[in-house]
């Protein structure tokens, strides 16, 4: 295999919080049941609790601290603020009027997310706060991985 495209798309930005939660939990609960796992294996909200388990593992195995993991939100917030069409660069007033955000969500989203804001945001799970959860949005991304040989044969490598 010399070239692979990894494509992902999501259209959950128009869903209400309740609809998103019901659909996401439904997928994880169905998988849990198909695998014959106990009911307490997956909790609601399933996505943040799944990330919480990964966070616990990283902290226990590698000694990462919560502040280090929370800092990734701040760094990615900064990167997003550099793109004029990102959710991060929208004006706070526009976001506060978004009918898909709860009052709590709109209160904590601002143009740039600081470590202090991440640490002050409401807890969703023992190790995940609101600002560490992905925002619902519609979008797509593609990553293309190609070997040097593939690129050379197509004159796509070099100066």
């Amino acid at each position: 295999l010399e070239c692979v495209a990894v494509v992902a798309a999501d259209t959950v930005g128009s869903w209400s919080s309740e609809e998103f939660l019901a659909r996401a939990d439904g997928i994880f609960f169905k998988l849990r049941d198909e695998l014959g796992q106990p009911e307490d294996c997956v909790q609601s909200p399933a996505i943040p609790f799944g990330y919480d388990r990964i966070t616990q593992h990283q902290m226990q195995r590698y000694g990462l601290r919560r502040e280090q993991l929370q800092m990734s939100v701040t760094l990615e917030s900064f990167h997003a603020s550099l793109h004029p069409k990102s959710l991060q660069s929208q004006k706070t007033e526009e976001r506060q009027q978004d009918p898909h955000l709860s009052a709590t969500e709109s209160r904590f989203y601002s143009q740039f997310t600081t470590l202090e804001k991440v640490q002050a945001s409401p807890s969703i799970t023992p190790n995940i706060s609101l600002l560490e959860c992905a925002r619902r949005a519609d979008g797509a991304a593609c990553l293309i991985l190609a070997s040097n040989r593939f690129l050379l044969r197509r004159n796509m490598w070099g100066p």
Side-chain angles (χ1 to χ4, degrees), residues 28-29 32-33 35-44 46 53:
F28 285 96
F29 293 160
R32 173 201 65 201
D33 295 344
L35 294 173
Q37 297 294 313
E39 282 196 27
D40 65 352
C41 176
V42 178
Q43 299 174 16
S44 179
R53 291 174 74 176

Side-chain angles (χ1 to χ4, degrees), residues 86-128:
S86 74
L87 290 173
Q88 196 66 35
S89 29
Q90 292 178 13
K91 293 180 182 171
T92 302
E93 301 82 43
E94 291 174 10
R95 224 172 298 125
Q96 288 175 338
Q97 295 171 5
D98 185 338
H100 302 298
L101 292 178
S102 70
T104 303
E105 289 172 319
S106 63
R107 185 174 130 231
F108 280 95
Y109 291 149
S110 64
Q111 194 151 0
F112 182 77
T113 305
T114 65
L115 179 60
E116 292 77 23
K117 286 181 184 177
V118 176
Q119 292 172 333
S121 68
S123 292
I124 303 299
T125 71
N127 291 298
I128 302 291

Side-chain angles (χ1 to χ4, degrees), residues 9-138:
D10 226 339
T11 58
V12 298
S14 58
W15 296 352
S16 68
S17 295
E18 295 77 19
E19 182 178 7
F20 177 76
L21 177 63
R23 289 184 183 212
D25 282 355
I27 291 167
F28 285 96
F29 293 160
K30 180 180 177 187
L31 180 61
R32 173 201 65 201
D33 295 344
E34 287 175 1
L35 294 173
Q37 297 294 313
E39 282 196 27
D40 65 352
C41 176
V42 178
Q43 299 174 16
S44 179
I47 294 173
F49 270 104
Y51 285 126
D52 186 90
R53 291 174 74 176
I54 294 167
T55 299
Q56 288 176 32
H57 171 77
Q58 296 288 327
M59 290 171 29
Q60 291 168 359
R61 180 158 186 178
Y62 301 109
L64 288 175
R65 296 184 324 272
R66 285 292 299 128
E67 297 79 20
Q68 291 172 302
L69 296 166
Q70 291 168 328
M71 194 61 181
S72 65
V73 176
T74 301
L75 294 171
E76 292 312 315
S77 167
F78 170 75
H79 292 143
S81 72
L82 299 176
H83 192 288
K85 292 189 178 184
S86 74
L87 290 173
Q88 196 66 35
S89 29
Q90 292 178 13
K91 293 180 182 171
T92 302
E93 301 82 43
E94 291 174 10
R95 224 172 298 125
Q96 288 175 338
Q97 295 171 5
D98 185 338
H100 302 298
L101 292 178
S102 70
T104 303
E105 289 172 319
S106 63
R107 185 174 130 231
F108 280 95
Y109 291 149
S110 64
Q111 194 151 0
F112 182 77
T113 305
T114 65
L115 179 60
E116 292 77 23
K117 286 181 184 177
V118 176
Q119 292 172 333
S121 68
S123 292
I124 303 299
T125 71
N127 291 298
I128 302 291
S129 69
L130 177 66
L131 288 179
E132 292 173 278
C133 295
R135 298 176 191 173
R136 290 185 319 278
D138 297 339

